[in-house]
Amino acid sequence: MKKGLTKSEFEEVAMRVSFVSIVANILLSVFKLLAGIFAHSGAMVSDAVHSASDVISTIVVIIGIRLSGKASDKEHPYGHERMECVAAVILATILAFTGFGIGYTAMIKILSGQYTNLRVPGILALVAAIISIAVKESMYWYTRINAKRIDSSALMADAWHHRSDALSSVGALIGIAGSRLGYPVCDAAASLCICFFIGKAAYEIFRDAVDKMVDKACDESVENDLKNCALAQEGVLGVDLLRTRVFGNRIYVDIEISADANASLRDAHKIAEHVHDSIEQSFASVKHIMVHVNPAE
């Protein structure tokens, strides 16, 4: 959650985006399922299943955001931000299983070798694929913009889920078009392509969530900016040590600075306070910073 946003504002944005996502995905998945059934397109049915999985994943995101927004307590003194990461891991798992199921079904059709028995998709499936691409790409940008606005990793994961669905619809469009041009196996091949798009999205979401759960350090550029911010404060003669860790969508910082060895304890404390306040004010993602002062050699 970005600094400056209240808990209620954060949840309001996240819930609004999630509600829009759920409604859009329900309507789109029903439309694509019906189009796939009536137009005899396995690729469009697979794409409909992918959209339906978005509904489940968005519900998981809502649960994760609700839990991560809980205030710190005795058992969780550092807050509950990592619950967003847990939600993202569950989302990635759902994506992976969805992709595997779609890929398995498509592979059976391709390996059967009986392509003449495959029905050619109707024009309705082609129209459904085009509509799906437009809707899902719009949902991607809408969710992405709001995820950046409130700095929500779970919401950003949901945005990429929309993008993966748009890409899978592109694959469905190509497959359906190929089938209508006289190559029926293209529809099954499109379903297999959709499987890879889903798997790639699942891997990226899972990797990002795990990085945030295992106290991975910030990017080198961010650490350099933190050092420069500390060095810019009056009385700071050097930075002896800097450790950072990403906790959910927030950053924790431990920094050791050097100051005049002859300075009084009161003066050294003021220098540390200036460093602390400056970094927290300059970096919205920093939730906590510990400053230790060493005597300069």
Side-chain angles (χ1 to χ4, degrees), residues 81-90 153 208-209 212-213 248-249:
E81 281 88 356
R82 278 183 176 162
M83 291 307 299
E84 272 201 78
C85 298
V86 174
V89 168
I90 295 173
S153 59
D208 179 68
K212 291 179 178 179
M213 293 179 73
N249 60 350

Side-chain angles (χ1 to χ4, degrees), residues 183-226:
Y183 303 96
V185 72
C186 287
D187 192 63
S191 293
L192 192 60
C193 290
I194 292 171
C195 162
F196 286 109
F197 280 124
I198 297 173
K200 182 176 181 294
Y203 169 73
E204 291 175 349
I205 293 170
F206 182 81
R207 183 181 63 182
D208 179 68
V210 169
D211 283 344
K212 291 179 178 179
M213 293 179 73
V214 297
D215 290 342
K216 182 184 177 183
C218 294
D219 294 337
E220 187 175 352
S221 60
V222 175
E223 291 196 341
N224 287 333
D225 290 341
L226 289 167

Side-chain angles (χ1 to χ4, degrees), residues 5-217:
L5 276 178
T6 65
K7 176 185 174 184
S8 60
E9 289 173 336
F10 175 84
E11 290 191 356
E12 180 184 356
V13 173
M15 293 305 109
R16 184 181 70 249
V17 174
S18 297
F19 176 77
V20 171
S21 178
I22 288 174
V23 172
N25 280 321
I26 289 176
L27 294 176
L28 191 61
S29 59
V30 170
F31 172 63
K32 289 197 291 188
L33 180 62
L34 293 176
I37 292 172
F38 288 114
H40 311 292
S41 172
M44 187 48 58
V45 171
S46 298
D47 210 23
V49 173
H50 189 193
S51 293
S53 73
D54 285 355
V55 178
I56 299 174
S57 67
T58 303
I59 293 174
V60 172
V61 168
I62 291 175
I63 295 172
I65 289 173
R66 285 287 190 185
L67 292 176
S68 68
K70 292 176 61 178
S72 301
D73 53 39
K74 185 176 181 180
E75 294 183 347
H76 306 91
Y78 293 99
H80 301 77
E81 281 88 356
R82 278 183 176 162
M83 291 307 299
E84 272 201 78
C85 298
V86 174
V89 168
I90 295 173
L91 190 158
T93 303
I94 293 172
L95 268 175
F97 276 102
T98 302
F100 176 78
I102 291 172
Y104 177 78
T105 303
M107 187 62 71
I108 293 297
K109 290 182 179 180
I110 293 172
L111 294 178
S112 69
Q114 300 177 3
Y115 306 145
T116 55
N117 296 330
L118 298 176
R119 301 188 66 172
V120 176
I123 191 67
L124 179 60
L126 205 63
V127 173
I130 295 172
I131 293 175
S132 177
I133 294 169
V135 171
K136 296 304 293 188
E137 187 64 16
S138 299
M139 288 302 301
Y140 163 74
W141 284 106
Y142 171 70
T143 307
R144 184 176 186 271
I145 289 170
N146 282 281
K148 282 195 168 186
R149 176 185 167 192
I150 63 176
D151 193 22
S152 170
S153 59
L155 210 57
M156 183 60 77
D158 208 31
W160 281 106
H161 201 168
H162 290 308
R163 168 58 65 83
S164 74
D165 209 1
L167 292 174
S168 72
S169 293
V170 171
L173 176 64
I174 295 172
I176 294 167
S179 294
R180 290 183 59 79
L181 290 174
Y183 303 96
V185 72
C186 287
D187 192 63
S191 293
L192 192 60
C193 290
I194 292 171
C195 162
F196 286 109
F197 280 124
I198 297 173
K200 182 176 181 294
Y203 169 73
E204 291 175 349
I205 293 170
F206 182 81
R207 183 181 63 182
D208 179 68
V210 169
D211 283 344
K212 291 179 178 179
M213 293 179 73
V214 297
D215 290 342
K216 182 184 177 183

